[in-house]
């Protein structure tokens, strides 16, 4: 498994960072090479272009929750695939309950008429996945749990298993006891860490430092850092946590 940090910033681009998006690549015995984009924030197409990554390789988009910095890039990705790249390969989008309506509304708000009038050259589908369930998709085994982050729909942490490895992303959330459970045995764990001190509805460094021993994960990376955390980077205990950077590539 290879994980590329396409974007690790907060909603506001603090520190000049791109919105949340992680490219997860695996080799599956049956599916071959498959690529999942975990979250697709509003700046994702710009980030992919800056990194020289072809979005046409993406087989699956998996969403943690429905805030614009986590799903707002999808309309741009779809229309770029249609009009610029002339995509023919199918694309599967999976998100929490509410994704179908929210995404349709967003596409229409940004590009009126695009959903109904575009003569799509490729098949794309949107599926909803209830928290606490599991499914197979493009060589990945996906499991989600509901976390605590108001967004008008369930917010989730996502566990991706594929290629014999496990990658878990907390999504955006304040502290909840489900996090150590879904992260159990992970090879790589991304935890959002917006601030140093408690700042609902986000995780904070002080709480994560106190609870680090609860996470049975081989490598823990802090992401989605806001201004206070970015200013605090040099003081983070690097024996316990790594820090995400846009463009970082992690071989799992």
């Amino acid at each position: 498994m290879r994980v590329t940090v396409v974007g690790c910033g907060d909603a506001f681009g603090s520190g000049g960072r791109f919105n949340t998006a992680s490219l997860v690549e695996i080799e599956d015995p049956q599916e071959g090479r498959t690529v999942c984009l975990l979250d697709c924030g509003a700046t994702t197409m710009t980030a992919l272009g800056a990194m020289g990554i072809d979005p046409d390789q993406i087989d699956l988009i998996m969403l943690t929750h429905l805030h614009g910095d986590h799903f707002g890039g999808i309309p741009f990705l779809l229309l770029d695939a249609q009009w610029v790249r002339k995509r023919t390969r199918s694309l599967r989008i999976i998100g929490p309950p509410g994704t179908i309506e929210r995404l349709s509304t967003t596409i229409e708000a940004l590009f009126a008429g695009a959903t109904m009038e575009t003569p799509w050259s490729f098949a794309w589908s949107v599926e909803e996945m209830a928290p606490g369930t599991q499914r197979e998709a493009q060589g990945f085994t996906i499991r989600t749990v509901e976390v605590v982050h108001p967004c008008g729909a369930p917010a989730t942490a996502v566990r991706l298993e594929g290629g014999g490895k496990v990658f878990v992303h907390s999504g955006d959330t304040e502290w909840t006891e489900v996090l150590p459970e879904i992260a159990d045995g992970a090879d790589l764990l991304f935890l959002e860490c917006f601030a140093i001190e408690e700042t609902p509805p986000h995780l904070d460094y002080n709480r994560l430092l106190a609870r680090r021993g609860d996470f049975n994960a081989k490598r823990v990376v802090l992401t989605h850092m806001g201004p206070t955390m970015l200013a605090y980077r040099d003081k983070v205990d690097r024996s316990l946590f790594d820090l995400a950077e846009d463009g970082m590539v992690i071989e799992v």
Side-chain angles (χ1 to χ4, degrees):
M1 179 184 288
R2 172 183 292 175
V3 177
T4 301
V5 180
V6 178
C8 65
D10 62 9
F12 315 111
S14 296
R17 296 177 170 212
F18 293 116
N19 291 158
T20 299
S22 302
L23 200 72
V24 186
E25 305 170 64
I26 62 169
E27 288 289 340
D28 182 75
Q30 296 181 329
E31 299 282 346
R33 178 178 178 270
T34 59
V35 180
C36 172
L37 184 66
L38 180 61
D39 281 338
C40 183
T43 60
T44 296
M45 286 301 295
T46 304
L48 289 170
M51 296 173 194
I53 297 173
D54 183 1
D56 199 41
Q57 68 179 299
I58 297 167
D59 302 291
L60 169 69
I61 299 175
M62 181 69 206
L63 301 175
T64 60
H65 69 288
L66 302 179
H67 273 154
D69 58 318
H70 291 258
F71 90 102
I74 294 179
F76 302 97
L77 187 149
L78 290 174
L79 292 176
D80 172 85
Q82 171 67 29
W83 298 115
V84 177
R85 301 178 194 278
K86 313 296 184 184
R87 182 178 178 126
T88 58
R89 298 170 58 244
S90 62
L91 177 65
R92 188 174 179 182
I93 301 168
I94 303 175
T99 297
I100 294 173
E101 180 179 0
R102 186 79 63 88
L103 182 56
S104 177
T105 300
T106 302
I107 293 173
E108 287 302 304
L110 296 174
F111 299 99
T115 304
M116 297 300 297
E117 297 176 13
T118 300
W120 297 103
S121 62
F122 65 102
W124 60 278
S125 62
V126 185
E127 306 167 29
E128 296 183 351
M129 182 174 175
T133 62
Q134 179 173 302
R135 71 177 59 179
E136 307 294 322
Q138 275 64 41
F140 290 93
T141 299
I142 306 169
R143 183 162 70 90
T144 68
V145 294
E146 188 166 1
V147 294
V148 184
H149 191 74
C151 60
T156 64
V158 173
R159 182 183 179 100
L160 293 176
E161 299 186 35
K165 300 293 182 178
V166 177
F167 172 48
V168 177
H169 200 301
S170 69
D172 285 3
T173 181
E174 60 188 75
W175 178 262
T176 168
E177 296 296 335
V178 303
L179 291 173
E181 175 203 348
I182 196 166
D184 187 48
D187 296 284
L188 178 63
L189 169 63
F190 277 20
L191 291 172
E192 77 112 317
C193 185
F194 180 73
I196 300 170
E197 299 178 348
E198 187 174 358
T199 310
H202 289 280
L203 290 170
D204 62 275
Y205 180 71
N206 287 342
R207 175 66 67 93
L208 292 177
L209 185 62
R211 300 299 296 265
R212 176 62 179 87
D214 295 338
F215 289 101
N216 175 28
K218 293 180 181 177
R219 185 174 182 182
V220 180
V221 178
L222 303 183
T223 187
H224 203 276
M225 291 182 284
T228 62
M229 270 306 299
L230 290 173
Y232 193 76
R233 278 178 293 180
D234 291 343
K235 298 181 178 64
V236 170
D237 188 338
R238 300 302 293 271
S239 69
L240 299 176
F241 303 105
D242 289 325
L243 301 180
E245 300 285 348
D246 287 356
M248 174 188 287
V249 178
I250 302 173
E251 299 285 349
V252 182

